[in-house]
Amino acid sequence: MIDFQQVINSIHNDLKQEIDRGLVANYIPELSHIDANNFGIHLKLLSGESFSVGQAQAPFSIQSISKVFALSKAFQLQGNDLWQRMDVEPSGDPFNQLSLLELENGIPRNPFINSGAIVIADILVSGLENPKEDFLHFVRALANDQTIQYNEAVAASEKATGYNNYAAANLLKSFGNLQNDVADVLDFYFYQCALEMTCEQLTNAFYLFANHGVCLQNKEWLTASQIKRINAIMLTCGFYDEAGEFAFEVGLPGKSGVGGGIVALLPNQLVISTWSPGLNPKGNSKIGMQALEAFTTKTKLSIF
Ligand code: DON
């Protein structure tokens, strides 16, 4: 029997001493003020128990982790038609890379790089009656938590400085792969990325990915086959040009965000989230990746 509280306590204790915590993202100005010493871990077992250490109940900007929720909602709305507008291959390139999109005629490599997530945002803007409100309700329902909110200042900050995303959206539009106006799609996308959640809320919201599509409240949102596909994309594309390294070090499907959060899961067994805002050069949480590597090594719990 593994003493999970002791495992996460010891990982937290070892890594909180680390001097080099990576660099807090500053290309979204509103994120640059976050203290790099924040560090939380939350673990939920499908058998019911939960374990926390550090700042696991502090809300932070989930950024690209939201792309998993957006993909889930779009998959629910459109089924496999989705894959006519994007591929499911790792890009081997950074999340904001543009040249591949041009070379491949406006078909993003996968739904987790920014261009793919912008196509997903377009699908949600078309398919939801009140896109921002309905998406927020979806995430709240998955997490079983009505307190989850968008951070308006973070959304505004990215809207004012997100030139790379404007470039991606304009390229997509020029190739006929956006149905709505660039401004409307990006407004939704920036809000989606500006969702604030805690490690605990994230583990709760990701419960269905470890449980074949059935959420904490026992409602089936996606089919087991859809969940299999989303988990496969998390494993191969969830960490951009570091997806191979994450699979190698950690061995779980997961997703990161430039707010410093990571969520990872082991089907049928557990969901674990970490938050440490300092990023490595690939834009993934430096300490979060180390914490998850230590977790799967110490517990021997990974998909491999
Ligand atoms: O579009 C962006 O650049 C951000 N809103 C999200 C990027 C992100 O989180 C990449 N993840 N590691």
Side-chain angles (χ1 to χ4, degrees), residues 253-304:
K255 187 72 203 82
S256 62
V258 291
I262 301 181
V263 190
L265 62 107
L266 181 60
N268 303 318
Q269 299 210 46
L270 59 89
V271 185
I272 183 165
S273 303
T274 58
W275 178 44
S276 173
L279 308 179
N280 67 21
K282 308 274 187 180
N284 299 313
S285 170
K286 180 174 189 285
I287 299 292
M289 274 185 71
Q290 290 176 12
L292 291 168
E293 186 279 327
F295 178 79
T296 55
T297 301
K298 280 176 197 271
T299 60
K300 301 193 179 69
L301 290 170
S302 93
I303 62 169
F304 305 111

Side-chain angles (χ1 to χ4, degrees), residues 31 49 65 92 100 103 125 143 178 202 224 242 289 294:
L31 295 183
E49 295 139 286
I65 298 172
L100 200 62
L103 278 175
V125 168
L178 276 198
L202 277 171
E242 209 168 31
M289 274 185 71

Side-chain angles (χ1 to χ4, degrees), residues 173-184:
K173 189 82 185 169
S174 77
F175 281 106
N177 202 3
L178 276 198
Q179 286 165 358
N180 299 283
D181 286 346
V182 164
D184 294 341

Side-chain angles (χ1 to χ4, degrees), residues 175-211:
F175 281 106
N177 202 3
L178 276 198
Q179 286 165 358
N180 299 283
D181 286 346
V182 164
D184 294 341
V185 176
L186 286 181
D187 180 59
F188 176 82
Y189 173 75
F190 293 142
Y191 267 83
Q192 167 203 314
C193 290
L195 268 176
E196 279 197 340
M197 292 172 74
T198 68
C199 288
E200 182 169 4
Q201 288 167 336
L202 277 171
T203 50
N204 288 341
F206 268 63
Y207 188 92
L208 82 166
F209 299 106
N211 195 35

Side-chain angles (χ1 to χ4, degrees), residues 27-28 63-64 95 114 158 165 189 193 240 256-258 283-284:
Y27 78 99
I28 301 173
Q63 292 296 323
S64 286
F95 60 87
N114 286 4
E158 194 168 10
N165 284 321
Y189 173 75
C193 290
Y240 313 106
S256 62
V258 291
N284 299 313

